[in-house]
Amino acid sequence: MSKLSGKTVLLIVGGGVAAYKCLDLVRRLAERGAKTRVVMTAAARQFIAPLAFASLSGEKVYDDLFSLTDETEMGHIELSRSSDLVVVAPATADLIAKAAGGLANDLASTLLIATDKQPIFVPAMNVRMWLNAATARNVAQLRADGCGFLGPVEGEMACGEFGPGRMIEPLEIVAGLERILEQTQPQALLAGPGPLKGKRAIVTAGPTQEPIDPVRYISNKSSGKQGYAIAAALAQAGADVTLVSGPVGLTAPAGVRLSKVETAREMLAAVEAALPADVYVGAAAVADWRVENAGARKTKKGAKGPPQLSLVENPDILSAVGHLPAKRRPALVVGFAAETENLVANARGKLQRKKCDLVVANDVGADNAIFGGDHNTIVIVDARGADAWPALPKREAAQRLARLIATRLEQKR
Ligand code: C5P
C-alpha cells in the first residue's frame, strides 16, 4: 500500500504552463488513495480552469483569500493545517520568492506561512529564472528553513530553451512524496501531530557578548548552529519553541519564536520571560564573566597603558532554571558541556551542580572543530549513565535529541 493512502495533500498550483501536469498529479495521488485539495493562484487560473481540478479532485478549488463563503466553510488557517502534506507545484519563481520572504498577499502565499507543515516545492521555470541569483538565494533560504524540494530537472522547456528548470513528471512527484513520508525525519514528524504537540520548549543558543565599552566585548566562538538545529527539531516535533539567541549569523527556524539578546543577564531575563515551559535546553555558550567596570565611552589608547578589566561572574542560567521550585521548573532541563578533558566526569558534575536531567556533553578537543562546524560527537549523560552517540551532522543530532526529549517527557507522565 502506498504511504500516500489516506493522506490529504494540499496542492498549491502556481502560474506556469507546467500546471497542466498537475491535473495528472491529482489523478495519480487519487490512485494511491490520497485526497487532494487544490489552491490556485490568479496566474494559475490563466493556464487551467479551476473546474478541471475540481472535477479530478472531487473537491472545491480554493483561490480567494477574502471569500466569506470559504472562510465560513474552511478558513485559510484550517485549510493550511488540515493536510498531511503541503505541495507547491508548479513552484514558480514568484511563489518561491514570496515564501522565502514570508509575504502573504493572496491565498496561496498566506497558506504557506500559516501552515504547520514544511512545504514541498516542485519548481518549474525558465532556465534563466532558475539560475537567477535571487531565485538561488530564495531556494537556499527555503531549504535552510527546512522546506523540501523535488526537482527541477534539465530538459527542454515549453519556451523552447534547454537547461535546468523543468518540472519533474507527476509519477516522479508521487514517488518523491512517498519517499518523504517514509523518512522518519523531518517531514514525517511534521506530517503527524508530533510527539511534542502541546509542549512548550525554551532553547538558548549562540554566545553572549559582554561589553568592555560601547564598541568592544568579550565573547566566544559559539556559532549557534547546534542550538538553532535543536529549536528547529523541537518545533518540527510539534513543540511551541522560544529560541533565546545570542548574536549569531543564522536565521530563526520556521515556526520558532526568536528572542534576541546580547549579554548573559539579558539571556537570563529572556528565559525567565519565556517560562513556564516543559523543556529547557541550554545550548548557549554563556560567557562565565562580564566586565564589572565596563566603560560608558570608548576607552582610548593612551599614556595610562592598557585598561585593567575587573571581571565578575555572570548568573548561571542553566543552574537557575534547574533549581527553580518544582511547580515552575521545566519537567526536563537539558544542559550542555563542552569539555576538552574528562568529558563524562565533568558532565556528571554539571548534571548534579546545575540540577539538570540530561547533559549533552561534547569533546571540543584541542582543535575546536565543534565550534562552527557542522558535525557533533555527543555523549548523553544522565543519572543512569552515559550514552555515546556516533559523530552526526548537527541537524541529525538535534533530531535525535528531540526524540529523546519526547521519550523522557512521556516517561515522566
Ligand atoms: O559550566 P559550563 O559553562 O561548562 O556549563 C555549560 C552549560 O551551562 C550550558 O548548558 C550553558 O548553556 C549553561 N550555562 C549557563 N549560564 C552560564 C554558564 C553556562 O546557563 N553562566
Side-chain angles (χ1 to χ4, degrees):
M1 194 172 57
S2 165
K3 287 269 169 201
L4 284 160
S5 172
K7 299 281 190 256
T8 301
V9 178
L10 180 69
L11 176 62
I12 297 176
V13 183
V17 64
Y20 81 91
K21 291 189 189 176
C22 291
L23 292 171
D24 190 35
L25 175 62
V26 174
R27 278 188 52 230
R28 301 297 181 184
L29 288 168
E31 278 169 10
R32 283 153 185 81
K35 177 159 100 181
T36 308
R37 281 203 194 105
V38 177
V39 170
M40 298 180 79
T41 63
R45 295 198 306 274
Q46 299 289 322
F47 288 93
I48 308 284
L51 187 58
F53 277 111
S55 312
L56 286 166
S57 66
E59 294 269 330
K60 175 182 164 55
V61 170
Y62 298 83
D63 56 15
D64 190 355
L65 180 57
F66 300 109
S67 157
L68 278 179
T69 36
D70 286 359
E71 286 296 318
T72 47
E73 282 171 23
M74 182 178 293
H76 62 278
I77 298 293
E78 173 61 10
L79 193 55
S80 69
R81 305 269 166 92
S82 61
S83 314
D84 300 292
L85 289 171
V86 176
V87 180
V88 186
T92 57
D94 178 64
L95 264 177
I96 287 174
K98 277 183 181 158
L103 295 185
N105 62 355
D106 62 4
L107 181 60
S109 52
T110 302
L111 291 175
L112 286 173
I113 61 165
T115 182
D116 54 356
K117 312 291 173 333
Q118 294 290 50
I120 297 151
F121 291 84
V122 190
M125 66 194 76
N126 166 274
V127 52
R128 291 279 144 235
M129 293 170 79
W130 176 251
L131 296 175
N132 175 275
T135 306
R137 259 196 323 271
N138 293 331
V139 170
Q141 181 62 60
L142 290 171
R143 282 193 207 277
D145 293 344
C147 298
F149 276 81
L150 296 174
V153 287
E154 273 201 358
E156 195 150 341
M157 316 229 144
C159 57
E161 287 186 48
F162 186 92
R166 188 185 155 91
M167 190 167 95
I168 59 170
E169 297 303 318
L171 281 177
E172 293 170 314
I173 300 176
V174 165
L177 298 179
E178 284 175 331
R179 247 188 347 263
I180 285 168
L181 286 170
E182 259 159 33
Q183 285 167 12
T184 42
Q185 300 292 339
Q187 273 86 356
L189 272 178
L190 294 160
L196 290 173
K197 184 122 193 123
K199 303 290 183 202
R200 286 171 58 96
I202 303 172
V203 180
T204 65
T208 63
Q209 287 179 353
E210 309 297 333
I212 295 172
D213 65 26
V215 296
R216 303 185 179 94
Y217 56 79
I218 296 176
S219 192
N220 58 65
K221 291 185 175 181
S222 170
S223 66
K225 282 184 188 171
Q226 187 63 82
Y228 273 58
I230 292 166
L234 292 172
Q236 284 166 3
D240 173 336
V241 183
T242 302
L243 172 61
V244 182
S245 174
V248 292
L250 301 172
T251 313
V256 163
R257 202 175 303 107
L258 179 67
S259 171
K260 283 175 147 181
V261 297
E262 287 183 357
T263 67
R265 287 190 292 178
E266 286 168 11
M267 188 171 273
L268 175 62
V271 167
E272 282 170 346
L275 285 166
D278 301 282
V279 187
Y280 175 81
V281 182
V286 184
D288 290 317
W289 307 283
R290 67 176 180 278
V291 181
E292 193 180 26
N293 55 341
R297 302 216 184 116
K298 186 181 168 195
T299 317
K300 292 270 181 222
K301 254 192 306 205
K304 280 194 274 170
Q308 296 300 309
L309 300 182
S310 154
L311 299 180
V312 279
E313 204 156 314
N314 263 330
D316 193 305
I317 306 166
L318 176 62
S319 183
V321 174
H323 285 91
L324 281 170
K327 62 176 194 312
R328 205 162 153 71
R329 183 188 187 273
L332 207 65
V333 175
V334 183
F336 272 66
E339 304 291 345
T340 50
E341 57 203 342
N342 299 333
L343 183 64
V344 174
N346 280 328
R348 181 148 297 127
K350 251 161 237 181
L351 186 79
Q352 284 156 4
R353 266 197 323 278
K354 304 196 184 197
K355 219 162 163 245
C356 311
D357 300 283
L358 291 177
V359 167
V360 179
N362 45 24
D363 191 342
V364 286
D367 61 354
N368 257 335
I370 304 291
F371 286 109
D374 289 319
H375 284 71
N376 213 347
T377 309
I378 282 172
V379 182
I380 300 287
V381 179
D382 66 3
R384 304 177 205 182
D387 181 18
W389 290 359
L392 291 169
K394 285 184 174 172
R395 192 177 139 142
E396 276 175 42
Q399 289 166 346
R400 194 161 164 170
L401 184 64
R403 287 199 293 274
L404 179 65
I405 287 171
T407 312
R408 290 294 166 90
L409 278 183
E410 187 59 31
Q411 287 165 349
K412 284 195 173 247
R413 289 209 313 170

